[in-house]
Each structure stands twice: as structure tokens, then as C-alpha cells.
Amino acid sequence: MQNSVKGMFGSLPTLSSLLKRDTVNMEAKVVKAIRERGVGNILKALESSLKGLGEATIDVLSGLSVGRHVMIMGPVGVGKTTLAEEIANILALDDPPYIEVACHSHMTATELTGDIDIAVALQAGLDHPLAYIPGPLVLSHGRLLIMDEINRLNPYSQASLLQALQEHYVFIRGFRIRSDFLMIATSNPAEYSGVYELSEALADRMKVVEIHYPDRELLKAILEWKANLTLSHIGVKVPSMLTDVLTNFVTLISQDGMIEVSPSIRASIYALANTMARAWIERREPTLGDLKREVIANMAHVIRGNFSSETEKRDYLTRKFDEAVVISNRLNRR
Ligand SMILES: Nc1ncnc2c1ncn2[C@@H]1O[C@H](COP(=O)(O)OP(=O)(O)OP(=O)(O)O)[C@@H](O)[C@H]1O
Ligand SMILES: [Mg+2]
């Protein structure tokens, strides 16, 4: 990616070259990439970083191949951003294959479109490469645009994105720059904090692909794989008993109706990895007590539900952890 980014910025486009850009048929580009790589190979390539998201991938690809923007929606840490980036990397529609925006509530419309620097324009002319530095909506012409956590975008930025999506032009102080891109957005469901409601017009232009929390078996396989991967440079392996208890613990919580936000896969991977790293530093074997300590310390601020105090939340986690140990013992005795 390094070289290509250099390539893109090494010769910054001038405003007049941007004004002459040709139309790109994005859906044809996507279909060509799928044909050339083959769906089987795309899914296989994806399995090297994500497990169990084959169906979601096909949903994303089918949307893109008819020119529809896609929004991957799901709870915290289920692989939304990784899925968007991996699909973009595997399709490799251009070089670089995608432009990514980490959306936030204070983002301005000009951060998305880029703006003319009046001082440079007055001194060196509008066509000086530094008179206009293109924003992501302009740079994504011919590529995928990843709008990560799109529901953090405030209504003003949503409006400028919508204009680019529906008109395929980005307007900069009256200049009209062609921009053809397909967007993969990610978002958390509306009940999460710090999010804006997406405007109806914007939501209507995206196909929604939902990712759910993995079931017990899949979760265990992911935790085993990723925790050991995280520890590979230390050279220790997580005992399967620890993964088993953590999987039961997370599954118990995610199935509990009173919990609004369950522990994420990311937090679970690190709970296992931290437990192992600590035991390794202290030159001893890890225990269930170590895992319990990690889990309660790290997950108390992640989960959300109807708790009246922090103590109540910690007591809840302690109870669920003990229950998970009992379940693991029972299952292992069978
Ligand atoms: N299905 C999966 N297979 C393998 N790893 C996964 C899976 N889902 C999540 N992970 C792991 O969890 C981590 C978090 O993934 P990612 O950041 O893509 O999730 P996200 O849904 O975008 O999270 P957030 O809601 O916090 O933005 C990744 O590093 C990945 O290793
Ligand atoms: Mg994410």
C-alpha cells in the first residue's frame, strides 16, 4: 500500500484534471473482479482472517455487484470493520483498493469533500496541486469507500455524503468533480451510545447486511484461534479449559435478555491473551482465578444492562463466571 499511496499523492491531481474525470462503471468493475477471482477463492481468502462470515460476505458482494452501497450492521467487535477491509483488499478494484474514513460526530462536510485553499489559489492559481487537496469522497473515484461507523456522522456530513451518492458528483465551491465509488459502511445498531440516526434518504441508499454474535461453537473456535495467534510471539498456548469457560461465560451473558451490550470478541480474545501473558511473566501456569480477574476487570466497563451500580455489575459478572465454570465441568465430564 505504501507505494501506491505515494503514487496517488506523489503527483497530486490538479483541479482541472479532476474536473475532466471519466465516469467509472463500478458494478462492472466488481463483477469483473468476482469473475476473475472466483467466489470460492474470495471466501477462502477471507477465512484467513475471519471465521463464519461467508454468508455475510456473499450478501455484501451481491449488493456491490448491482451497484448498491452496503451497510454492515452489528454489535461491538463482531468483525464489521475487518470484513469491510478484507472484502475491499480481496476485490482489489484499484490501487489502493479502498479509501477509509473513521467517522466521528464532529466531522465536517469539507473533511469529506476537501476544500480549496484560497491563499494558495490566489498566489499560485487554482490549478496549483496544493490549491485543492481532494477529500475521501473525491479520492474514492473508481474504488471502494469504507465509511467506518457511519452512524457517528452528524447530519451535515451525512448530507454531503448523500449528495455524492445520489449525484455521483462532489461539489467544491461550485466546481463539480465526478466521483464514482461504491461504499461499504459499518454501523452499530441504534441503541448504542454516541450515534446519530441515519437520515432516511441515506439509509434508503444502502443494503443492510447484519452480522450477529457468533454461536457457542463458532465463538470457541474464534477465541482459540485468535488468542493463540496473539500469543504466538511469546510461544505459549491457551489451555482449552480456559477457552471453554470463557466461551460459556460470554454465551451466557449474550443470551441474557437483561444485557444490552455483551462482551465483545475483541475483549474476549484479550482476556485470554492477558491471562496467559501474566502467567508467563510470573513463570507459572495460568489458573481459572487469573481468567476471572481479567474478565471482571476488563469486561465490567464493556457490558451494558440494567445495573444500579458498578458493584452490582461486578457481582453479576462473578456469578456468571462461576456458572460458566460449572457448565464447563459438566460438559467435560460427559
Ligand atoms: N468472525 C470472526 N472471526 C475471526 N476473528 C474475529 C471475528 N469477529 C471478530 N474477530 C476479531 O475481533 C476483532 C474485532 O474485529 P473488528 O474490529 O472488525 O470488529 P467491529 O465489529 O468492527 O468492532 P467495533 O464495533 O468495535 O468497531 C478483530 O481483530 C478480529 O480479530
Ligand atoms: Mg469497527
Side-chain angles (χ1 to χ4, degrees):
M1 179 87 88
Q2 275 305 320
N3 283 342
S4 41
V5 169
K6 216 168 136 205
M8 199 159 69
F9 288 105
S11 53
L12 278 172
T14 57
L15 189 57
S16 51
S17 69
L18 289 169
L19 293 172
K20 285 190 234 126
R21 279 204 307 208
D22 289 332
T23 304
V24 177
N25 183 336
M26 288 303 292
E27 49 267 43
K29 238 177 148 170
V30 171
V31 167
K32 183 166 173 272
I34 296 176
R35 268 210 191 101
E36 279 172 9
R37 282 162 192 77
V39 178
N41 290 330
I42 292 177
L43 294 179
K44 214 160 119 204
L46 197 87
E47 283 275 314
S48 65
S49 52
L50 289 169
K51 246 189 217 320
L53 293 179
E55 278 295 316
T57 304
I58 293 188
D59 271 340
V60 173
L61 292 178
S62 58
L64 296 178
S65 43
V66 290
R68 186 123 167 93
H69 306 289
V70 176
M71 175 162 70
I72 304 173
M73 191 154 100
V76 173
V78 287
K80 302 179 295 294
T81 306
T82 314
L83 181 63
E85 291 171 351
E86 286 303 306
I87 290 177
N89 275 328
I90 297 168
L91 287 181
L93 298 184
D94 213 312
D95 182 16
Y98 65 89
I99 299 292
E100 180 161 346
V101 178
C103 302
H104 59 82
S105 53
H106 290 83
M107 190 156 254
T108 60
T110 50
E111 271 176 76
L112 292 177
T113 58
D115 199 5
I116 290 175
D117 185 324
I118 305 289
V120 177
L122 281 176
Q123 277 184 19
L126 259 179
D127 241 359
H128 189 280
L130 295 179
Y132 169 64
I133 310 273
L137 293 184
V138 173
L139 286 174
S140 53
H141 184 60
R143 314 169 207 276
L144 289 174
L145 171 68
I146 297 180
M147 294 294 280
D148 199 29
E149 311 211 1
I150 193 172
N151 50 343
R152 292 190 188 279
L153 270 194
N154 59 60
Y156 307 105
S157 308
Q158 283 190 31
S160 74
L161 173 62
L162 178 64
Q163 191 176 38
L165 291 181
Q166 66 189 14
E167 294 170 30
H168 302 283
Y169 282 101
V170 176
F171 291 86
I172 291 118
R173 298 196 186 252
F175 293 103
R176 214 172 65 132
I177 300 178
R178 180 84 196 175
S179 197
D180 293 297
F181 57 83
L182 278 169
M183 175 176 73
I184 307 182
T186 76
S187 87
N188 290 132
E191 65 267 21
Y192 283 70
S193 62
V195 302
Y196 282 96
E197 184 115 356
L198 286 184
S199 74
E200 266 167 38
L202 188 54
D204 189 46
R205 281 171 174 79
M206 296 184 279
K207 166 182 179 170
V208 175
V209 174
E210 274 190 83
I211 303 189
H212 300 284
Y213 213 82
D215 64 16
R216 196 187 169 283
E217 287 316 305
L218 180 57
L219 179 63
K220 188 170 180 206
I222 295 171
L223 294 186
E224 219 149 46
W225 172 34
K226 290 293 174 83
N228 283 324
L229 198 67
T230 310
L231 291 161
S232 57
H233 62 297
I234 303 184
V236 291
K237 271 198 97 171
V238 187
S240 92
M241 179 263 297
L242 292 187
T243 320
D244 210 52
V245 169
L246 187 62
T247 306
N248 288 331
F249 168 79
V250 174
T251 308
L252 274 175
I253 295 182
S254 62
Q255 287 171 350
D256 186 341
M258 75 164 269
I259 295 296
E260 289 156 24
V261 179
S262 318
S264 68
I265 298 176
R266 186 192 291 114
S268 309
I269 295 169
Y270 280 104
L272 283 174
N274 289 351
T275 302
M276 295 306 296
R278 187 181 173 95
W280 172 75
I281 288 172
E282 295 182 338
R283 297 167 175 254
R284 58 179 179 79
E285 291 301 313
T287 65
L288 276 175
D290 294 333
L291 181 62
K292 188 176 184 175
R293 194 168 149 267
E294 281 295 337
V295 160
I296 293 168
N298 287 291
M299 292 186 179
H301 62 276
V302 175
I303 68 159
R304 247 189 310 121
N306 194 11
F307 298 106
S308 59
S309 67
E310 270 306 292
T311 316
E312 199 185 309
K313 202 191 255 185
R314 283 174 181 262
D315 289 347
Y316 170 84
L317 288 174
T318 308
R319 225 170 38 244
K320 288 292 167 191
F321 192 91
D322 294 341
E323 258 178 64
V325 174
V326 173
I327 294 172
S328 296
N329 285 339
R330 201 167 45 209
L331 291 177
N332 286 338
R333 243 183 277 129
R334 274 193 198 154

Short mmCIF file of all heavy atoms in Angstrom, two decimals, residues 49-51 53 75-82 149 188 222 225-226 265-266 269, ligand 1:
data_model
loop_
_atom_site.label_atom_id
_atom_site.label_comp_id
_atom_site.label_asym_id
_atom_site.label_seq_id
_atom_site.Cartn_x
_atom_site.Cartn_y
_atom_site.Cartn_z
N SER A 49 -8.65 -14.48 7.85
CA SER A 49 -8.74 -13.50 8.93
C SER A 49 -10.07 -13.53 9.69
O SER A 49 -10.15 -13.04 10.80
CB SER A 49 -8.48 -12.09 8.41
OG SER A 49 -9.31 -11.84 7.32
N LEU A 50 -11.11 -14.10 9.08
CA LEU A 50 -12.42 -14.11 9.75
C LEU A 50 -13.10 -15.46 9.58
O LEU A 50 -13.10 -16.01 8.48
CB LEU A 50 -13.33 -13.03 9.14
CG LEU A 50 -12.99 -11.58 9.43
CD1 LEU A 50 -13.80 -10.66 8.54
CD2 LEU A 50 -13.22 -11.22 10.89
N LYS A 51 -13.71 -15.94 10.63
CA LYS A 51 -14.41 -17.23 10.56
C LYS A 51 -15.91 -16.99 10.59
O LYS A 51 -16.39 -16.10 11.31
CB LYS A 51 -14.06 -18.04 11.81
CG LYS A 51 -13.25 -19.29 11.55
CD LYS A 51 -13.17 -20.11 12.82
CE LYS A 51 -11.86 -20.79 13.02
NZ LYS A 51 -11.19 -21.37 11.92
N LEU A 53 -18.13 -15.87 8.43
CA LEU A 53 -18.80 -14.70 7.83
C LEU A 53 -19.01 -14.87 6.32
O LEU A 53 -19.16 -13.89 5.59
CB LEU A 53 -18.02 -13.42 8.16
CG LEU A 53 -18.05 -13.04 9.65
CD1 LEU A 53 -17.25 -11.77 9.90
CD2 LEU A 53 -19.49 -12.83 10.13
N PRO A 75 -23.40 -5.77 16.50
CA PRO A 75 -22.89 -5.33 17.80
C PRO A 75 -21.37 -5.10 17.79
O PRO A 75 -20.69 -5.43 16.82
CB PRO A 75 -23.28 -6.47 18.75
CG PRO A 75 -23.59 -7.63 17.90
CD PRO A 75 -23.99 -7.11 16.56
N VAL A 76 -20.87 -4.56 18.89
CA VAL A 76 -19.44 -4.22 19.00
C VAL A 76 -18.56 -5.46 18.81
O VAL A 76 -18.84 -6.52 19.36
CB VAL A 76 -19.16 -3.62 20.40
CG1 VAL A 76 -17.67 -3.43 20.63
CG2 VAL A 76 -19.89 -2.31 20.56
N GLY A 77 -17.51 -5.29 18.00
CA GLY A 77 -16.46 -6.31 17.91
C GLY A 77 -16.82 -7.62 17.25
O GLY A 77 -16.24 -8.65 17.56
N VAL A 78 -17.77 -7.62 16.32
CA VAL A 78 -18.10 -8.90 15.66
C VAL A 78 -17.42 -9.01 14.29
O VAL A 78 -17.74 -9.90 13.51
CB VAL A 78 -19.63 -9.12 15.50
CG1 VAL A 78 -20.27 -9.45 16.84
CG2 VAL A 78 -20.29 -7.94 14.83
N GLY A 79 -16.51 -8.10 13.98
CA GLY A 79 -15.74 -8.22 12.74
C GLY A 79 -16.23 -7.34 11.60
O GLY A 79 -15.83 -7.55 10.44
N LYS A 80 -17.01 -6.30 11.88
CA LYS A 80 -17.56 -5.46 10.81
C LYS A 80 -16.47 -4.75 10.01
O LYS A 80 -16.44 -4.82 8.78
CB LYS A 80 -18.55 -4.42 11.39
CG LYS A 80 -19.70 -5.01 12.16
CD LYS A 80 -20.61 -3.94 12.71
CE LYS A 80 -19.97 -3.06 13.75
NZ LYS A 80 -19.62 -3.75 15.00
N THR A 81 -15.59 -4.05 10.73
CA THR A 81 -14.56 -3.28 10.04
C THR A 81 -13.61 -4.21 9.29
O THR A 81 -13.25 -3.95 8.13
CB THR A 81 -13.77 -2.42 11.06
OG1 THR A 81 -14.70 -1.64 11.79
CG2 THR A 81 -12.78 -1.51 10.38
N THR A 82 -13.22 -5.30 9.97
CA THR A 82 -12.30 -6.24 9.32
C THR A 82 -12.94 -6.81 8.06
O THR A 82 -12.28 -6.93 7.02
CB THR A 82 -11.94 -7.40 10.30
OG1 THR A 82 -11.64 -6.83 11.57
CG2 THR A 82 -10.76 -8.21 9.82
N GLU A 149 -18.19 3.12 10.97
CA GLU A 149 -19.08 3.69 12.00
C GLU A 149 -19.83 4.91 11.45
O GLU A 149 -19.81 5.99 12.03
CB GLU A 149 -18.30 4.01 13.27
CG GLU A 149 -17.45 2.83 13.69
CD GLU A 149 -17.23 2.69 15.18
OE1 GLU A 149 -17.76 3.50 15.94
OE2 GLU A 149 -16.54 1.73 15.57
N ASN A 188 -23.13 0.39 14.24
CA ASN A 188 -23.71 -0.32 15.39
C ASN A 188 -25.21 -0.05 15.36
O ASN A 188 -25.64 0.98 14.87
CB ASN A 188 -23.15 0.23 16.70
CG ASN A 188 -21.68 -0.12 16.90
OD1 ASN A 188 -20.89 0.72 17.22
ND2 ASN A 188 -21.35 -1.37 16.71
N ILE A 222 -13.15 -19.20 17.24
CA ILE A 222 -12.53 -17.88 17.00
C ILE A 222 -11.59 -17.53 18.16
O ILE A 222 -10.45 -17.10 17.95
CB ILE A 222 -13.61 -16.78 16.84
CG1 ILE A 222 -14.46 -17.02 15.60
CG2 ILE A 222 -12.97 -15.40 16.79
CD1 ILE A 222 -15.68 -16.11 15.49
N TRP A 225 -8.36 -19.65 18.13
CA TRP A 225 -7.50 -19.24 17.02
C TRP A 225 -6.83 -17.90 17.29
O TRP A 225 -5.60 -17.77 17.25
CB TRP A 225 -8.39 -19.21 15.77
CG TRP A 225 -7.79 -18.63 14.53
CD1 TRP A 225 -6.49 -18.72 14.13
CD2 TRP A 225 -8.48 -17.90 13.51
NE1 TRP A 225 -6.33 -18.10 12.92
CE2 TRP A 225 -7.54 -17.58 12.52
CE3 TRP A 225 -9.80 -17.50 13.35
CZ2 TRP A 225 -7.88 -16.87 11.37
CZ3 TRP A 225 -10.15 -16.79 12.21
CH2 TRP A 225 -9.19 -16.48 11.23
N LYS A 226 -7.66 -16.87 17.59
CA LYS A 226 -7.11 -15.52 17.70
C LYS A 226 -6.29 -15.30 18.97
O LYS A 226 -5.30 -14.58 18.95
CB LYS A 226 -8.24 -14.49 17.61
CG LYS A 226 -8.86 -14.37 16.22
CD LYS A 226 -7.85 -13.80 15.24
CE LYS A 226 -8.30 -13.77 13.81
NZ LYS A 226 -9.11 -12.65 13.42
N ILE A 265 -15.96 -9.89 21.05
CA ILE A 265 -14.98 -10.93 20.71
C ILE A 265 -13.58 -10.39 20.99
O ILE A 265 -12.72 -11.09 21.51
CB ILE A 265 -15.13 -11.32 19.22
CG1 ILE A 265 -16.52 -11.90 18.97
CG2 ILE A 265 -14.04 -12.30 18.78
CD1 ILE A 265 -16.82 -12.23 17.53
N ARG A 266 -13.38 -9.12 20.66
CA ARG A 266 -12.07 -8.49 20.87
C ARG A 266 -11.69 -8.55 22.35
O ARG A 266 -10.60 -9.00 22.71
CB ARG A 266 -12.15 -7.04 20.40
CG ARG A 266 -10.83 -6.30 20.44
CD ARG A 266 -11.02 -4.81 20.27
NE ARG A 266 -11.45 -4.44 18.93
CZ ARG A 266 -12.65 -3.92 18.66
NH1 ARG A 266 -13.53 -3.70 19.62
NH2 ARG A 266 -12.99 -3.60 17.43
N ILE A 269 -10.83 -12.13 23.35
CA ILE A 269 -9.51 -12.58 22.89
C ILE A 269 -8.44 -12.05 23.85
O ILE A 269 -7.56 -12.77 24.29
CB ILE A 269 -9.23 -12.07 21.45
CG1 ILE A 269 -10.19 -12.69 20.45
CG2 ILE A 269 -7.77 -12.33 21.04
CD1 ILE A 269 -10.16 -12.06 19.06
N1 LIG B 1 -15.80 -13.86 12.89
C1 LIG B 1 -14.57 -13.56 13.33
N2 LIG B 1 -13.52 -14.38 13.04
C2 LIG B 1 -12.29 -14.09 13.49
N3 LIG B 1 -11.98 -13.02 14.22
C3 LIG B 1 -12.97 -12.18 14.55
C4 LIG B 1 -14.32 -12.40 14.12
N4 LIG B 1 -15.08 -11.39 14.58
C5 LIG B 1 -14.26 -10.57 15.25
N5 LIG B 1 -13.00 -11.04 15.23
C6 LIG B 1 -11.83 -10.43 15.88
O1 LIG B 1 -12.28 -9.37 16.68
C7 LIG B 1 -11.54 -8.17 16.40
C8 LIG B 1 -12.54 -7.06 16.24
O2 LIG B 1 -13.00 -7.01 14.92
P1 LIG B 1 -13.48 -5.67 14.24
O3 LIG B 1 -12.73 -4.51 14.75
O4 LIG B 1 -13.50 -5.89 12.77
O5 LIG B 1 -14.98 -5.63 14.80
P2 LIG B 1 -16.05 -4.46 14.66
O6 LIG B 1 -17.36 -5.17 14.55
O7 LIG B 1 -15.66 -3.52 13.61
O8 LIG B 1 -15.91 -3.79 16.09
P3 LIG B 1 -16.45 -2.32 16.56
O9 LIG B 1 -17.94 -2.44 16.69
O10 LIG B 1 -15.78 -2.15 17.90
O11 LIG B 1 -16.00 -1.35 15.55
C9 LIG B 1 -10.73 -8.41 15.12
O12 LIG B 1 -9.41 -8.09 15.34
C10 LIG B 1 -10.84 -9.88 14.87
O13 LIG B 1 -9.59 -10.48 15.19
#
